[in-house]
Amino acid sequence: YTSHPDMNIFKEQLLAKLHAVIRENQKVSSLFDGTKRIISVGNYPATPCGGTHVENLAEIGTILIRNIKHKDGKIRIGYAVSN
């Protein structure tokens, strides 16, 4: 996706994938590795995180992508979640 020619199409594809994953209603689990909190969702790769988390994906409401920035071959996505 880092070379995606149209960010609007990328945004639509991303939202479609996110909503599909949310519909799977997978359990969210966390564990601590020293001082780091590690979050896992289903079979997706675990990731360190320090934010607020749901117990399962059904708790997630609407996802709004605020902005997408593409710089130096990386994509940064700003988003909000509401119920």
Side-chain angles (χ1 to χ4, degrees):
Y1 287 115
T2 57
S3 62
H4 205 290
D6 185 337
M7 281 296 149
N8 288 325
I9 292 172
F10 173 75
K11 180 178 176 178
E12 291 172 15
Q13 292 172 340
L14 178 60
L15 280 171
K17 178 63 176 172
L18 287 169
H19 289 124
V21 170
I22 290 169
R23 282 192 302 273
E24 293 173 3
N25 189 23
Q26 296 198 29
K27 183 180 177 184
V28 177
S29 60
S30 65
L31 60 94
F32 286 90
D33 181 12
T35 59
K36 294 180 185 176
R37 182 177 183 191
I38 309 296
I39 301 299
S40 296
V41 177
N43 292 325
Y44 294 96
T47 185
C49 192
T52 302
H53 299 277
V54 296
E55 291 184 19
N56 65 63
L57 295 183
E59 296 177 38
I60 296 176
T62 303
I63 296 175
L64 171 67
I65 295 180
R66 293 183 176 176
N67 57 58
I68 300 175
K69 296 177 182 177
H70 184 226
K71 184 177 178 181
D72 298 328
K74 296 180 183 177
I75 294 177
R76 298 190 81 147
I77 300 169
Y79 66 95
V81 178
S82 64
N83 52 6

